[in-house]
Amino acid sequence: VTTDANKSLKILIIDDSDFDATLLSKALEKKGHKTRYLQDGRESLSVIDDYKPDLILLDSVMPHTSGEEILKSVREKFNTLELPVIMITSKSETSDIVQALHLGANDYITKPVNLEIALMRINTQASISYLSREMSQLREVAAFNALVATYNHEINNPLTIAVGLAHKIAKNIHKEDAERLQSSLCRMAKIVKKIKTLSEESKIEFDDYAAKAKMVKLK
Amino acid sequence: VTTRNVAKNESSVEVIDCEQLLLNFQGMEDVLYDIIQKFLSDSPKMLKRVREAVIKQDSKELEISAHSLKGAVSNFHNEQSFVLARTLEQMGRSRVFTNADGLLENLDTSLSEMSDALNTLARSLK
């Protein structure tokens, strides 16, 4: 995923017309963007997973799968801020434009493509998407820091007292039990340390935990 | 190359709107040149597909093939070829083939004129 709004974008062009796709692709690459061209819309989702585009240009009229159907399936997986979709339509297809906007298209451009307008709209949508991701990341960090502060207050302080008490108990018990207790205390101390370092991070990274669950990646 | 370099007395000006075309490509003459070459190479195949659809009276194929040709033509601001391709597309959609042969011949002539004009323009871009 692009990390800078002004950087080169990865744009997926889904259009059955080799001619129109070539025109767009050449113009966009000339402006410093990367493109991938897909003629058969039925492969859209797997190509999106593989290519991870910043934005999609989607033709509304195609023979096998309509632009509308592709848009619906894209929106089941990505919202308008995660993956902007700009429809490419004919000027006469006004009802298609309205329907596409209802279904979650971010914007549209008409054929014949006016490159100046197309590039402006692409840049606008990419910037909105980038800023939204940045905002969401900041909110994520703020929420996590609040969680760590809560942890420190509710768990870490009583745990420190417990560790101190356990040290005292260790003096009055058998050597083997004292070693076991010592080992447990070391593990607890490590966890405390790991969680403390998380509060110093500016970005939260996640790992897969179970099928639909994520866990915070600890360094 | 600027719009001024494309002489007004050249045939390209009469058939295609060169000023609009050059403006639309935002000074990317190399991209325009490549696209003209692609059109010159692809349009005969696109027209052949439309012709075959008319011969076979295949309405769906006529709609799709004429739609593709219309899209390609529209980039060069040639009203005549655009209107003919659009009419054939609409005929495919409504499954009517009346006078399709005549329209096809007109489209063939119009595309030939357009290709000559684009060849002239491409030479001035080189």
Side-chain angles (χ1 to χ4, degrees):
Chain A
V1 175
T2 307
T3 53
D4 184 331
N6 299 316
K7 257 190 182 177
S8 127
L9 300 168
K10 280 166 79 180
I11 300 172
L12 177 64
I13 304 167
I14 307 175
D15 194 331
D16 65 303
S17 163
D18 171 47
F19 188 85
D20 292 338
T22 304
L23 191 157
L24 280 167
S25 172
K26 279 183 180 288
L28 290 167
E29 283 176 11
K30 182 82 183 172
K31 294 287 180 186
H33 301 303
K34 295 183 184 77
T35 63
R36 184 156 167 187
Y37 161 40
L38 183 61
Q39 205 161 9
D40 188 342
R42 288 174 293 191
E43 299 164 26
S44 304
L45 286 181
S46 60
V47 172
I48 290 167
D49 279 344
D50 174 54
Y51 186 56
K52 299 183 174 37
D54 296 306
L55 184 142
I56 295 176
L57 291 176
L58 176 60
D59 186 19
S60 61
V61 180
M62 289 189 282
H64 302 300
T65 317
S66 74
E68 239 175 56
E69 286 172 69
I70 295 169
L71 178 60
K72 271 186 205 168
S73 57
V74 169
R75 283 290 166 258
E76 280 170 13
K77 213 168 168 186
F78 305 94
N79 67 36
T80 53
L81 294 170
E82 286 169 327
L83 184 52
V85 176
I86 297 179
M87 301 299 289
I88 310 170
T89 67
S90 294
K91 275 180 183 164
S92 56
E93 295 157 355
T94 324
S95 57
D96 290 358
I97 294 169
V98 174
Q99 177 67 0
L101 292 170
H102 272 303
L103 289 173
N106 294 60
D107 204 346
Y108 68 93
I109 50 179
T110 54
K111 286 183 185 177
V113 175
N114 179 313
L115 292 174
E116 191 176 11
I117 294 174
L119 290 164
M120 287 296 286
R121 291 187 166 176
I122 287 167
N123 285 337
T124 301
Q125 291 304 328
S127 297
I128 292 170
S129 174
Y130 167 76
L131 290 173
S132 155
R133 283 200 299 265
E134 285 284 290
M135 286 293 290
S136 124
Q137 204 169 69
L138 287 174
R139 276 198 294 266
E140 206 169 64
V141 171
F144 195 79
N145 281 342
L147 190 67
V148 170
T150 307
Y151 161 81
N152 277 335
H153 181 72
E154 301 291 340
I155 303 170
N156 200 17
N157 293 344
L159 188 62
T160 307
I161 296 167
V163 169
L165 289 172
H167 268 298
K168 283 183 185 169
I169 294 166
K171 290 172 190 166
N172 304 319
I173 57 175
H174 293 295
K175 191 186 170 194
E176 280 182 5
D177 290 337
E179 282 172 359
R180 284 194 197 106
L181 187 58
Q182 186 66 31
S183 170
S184 305
L185 292 174
C186 281
R187 288 180 188 198
M188 281 184 208
K190 273 183 188 173
I191 294 166
V192 169
K193 200 177 167 189
K194 274 188 179 181
I195 292 172
K196 187 178 177 292
T197 58
L198 276 176
S199 64
E200 291 151 10
E201 296 289 330
S202 59
K203 192 178 170 188
I204 311 300
E205 288 183 55
F206 296 96
D207 260 342
D208 286 331
Y209 178 65
K212 288 181 181 174
K214 300 267 182 199
M215 60 184 277
V216 174
K217 196 186 253 183
L218 296 175
K219 287 176 183 169
Chain B
V1 177
T2 66
T3 50
R4 267 177 292 169
N5 295 108
V6 183
K8 288 278 179 188
N9 60 354
E10 290 197 58
S11 64
S12 57
V13 178
E14 295 161 17
V15 181
I16 52 176
D17 187 343
C18 293
E19 283 195 22
Q20 183 60 48
L21 192 54
L22 289 163
L23 201 66
N24 193 23
F25 276 79
Q26 293 192 296
M28 295 186 282
E29 282 92 6
D30 50 346
V31 175
L32 175 57
Y33 180 83
D34 288 349
I35 290 304
I36 290 174
Q37 296 306 322
K38 183 159 180 62
F39 182 79
L40 294 173
S41 140
D42 289 3
S43 58
K45 288 174 246 172
M46 292 167 119
L47 182 66
K48 187 180 172 209
R49 205 177 145 196
V50 177
R51 193 185 297 283
E52 283 171 359
V54 170
I55 291 167
K56 289 179 190 165
Q57 304 259 302
D58 183 339
S59 57
K60 188 69 195 164
E61 176 62 13
L62 176 60
E63 183 188 353
I64 293 167
S65 58
H67 176 82
S68 299
L69 184 56
K70 182 190 78 176
V73 164
S74 71
N75 291 298
F76 299 104
H77 306 278
N78 176 273
E79 191 66 15
Q80 194 182 9
S81 300
F82 177 81
V83 170
L84 288 164
R86 187 180 62 194
T87 308
L88 283 161
E89 180 192 2
Q90 286 164 348
M91 288 171 78
R93 195 175 297 138
S94 52
R95 296 175 189 158
V96 174
F97 284 83
T98 316
N99 197 30
D101 290 331
L103 285 171
L104 198 56
E105 290 322 305
N106 289 344
L107 181 58
D108 196 349
T109 308
S110 183
L111 284 175
S112 294
E113 288 171 1
M114 210 180 139
S115 296
D116 290 344
L118 287 173
N119 262 316
T120 306
L121 178 60
R123 277 197 298 275
S124 72
L125 292 170
K126 225 173 177 183

